[in-house]
Amino acid sequence: MYHWEFDRDGEQIAVDVPGPLTLDDSTSILTLLLGSAGLMYGPEPLLAPLVKAGEVRLVLEDWSSPGPGFHIYYSSHRQVPAGLRLLIDLIREMQPLGL
């Protein structure tokens, strides 16, 4: 399973977080988070509006890391397959992480 990765002053640790429930759907996770069902390890653009509104609070802030970000790689800008172009356009339209 995915480890939660933390970084502080050059020190990096990865923590195995066992629990009765593991989700990979942001909508479901946010529903549980807003219902005080647990913690969420998630991207800042998704959580920032909730933190600003006071609906959730950050913990372990001194261990947070911006990470490398999200990227999509493909072989050519000129001849992008139609399916890949549709996927890229859909991601841009949906902005699943608030980006």
Side-chain angles (χ1 to χ4, degrees):
M1 297 302 289
Y2 184 76
H3 299 284
W4 289 13
E5 299 168 347
F6 299 96
D7 185 333
R8 178 179 69 182
D9 300 327
E11 180 182 1
Q12 297 177 342
I13 59 172
V15 179
D16 183 21
V17 184
L21 186 61
T22 300
L23 300 170
D24 66 355
D25 173 60
S26 296
T27 303
S28 299
I29 297 169
L30 285 174
T31 299
L32 292 168
L33 179 68
L34 292 169
S36 301
L39 297 173
M40 176 183 184
Y41 179 86
E44 189 271 338
L46 181 66
L47 298 170
L50 299 172
V51 172
K52 185 175 181 180
E55 297 181 64
V56 299
R57 64 185 175 96
L58 299 177
V59 297
L60 299 173
E61 282 187 78
D62 56 334
W63 281 94
S64 67
S65 172
F70 298 95
H71 307 277
I72 187 165
Y73 294 98
Y74 45 92
S75 61
S76 173
H77 290 288
R78 295 181 198 180
Q79 296 183 2
V80 177
L84 180 57
R85 171 55 49 206
L86 290 171
L87 175 63
I88 293 168
D89 292 344
L90 178 64
I91 292 170
R92 285 182 174 156
E93 180 181 327
M94 291 179 62
Q95 298 182 352
L97 299 176
L99 301 173

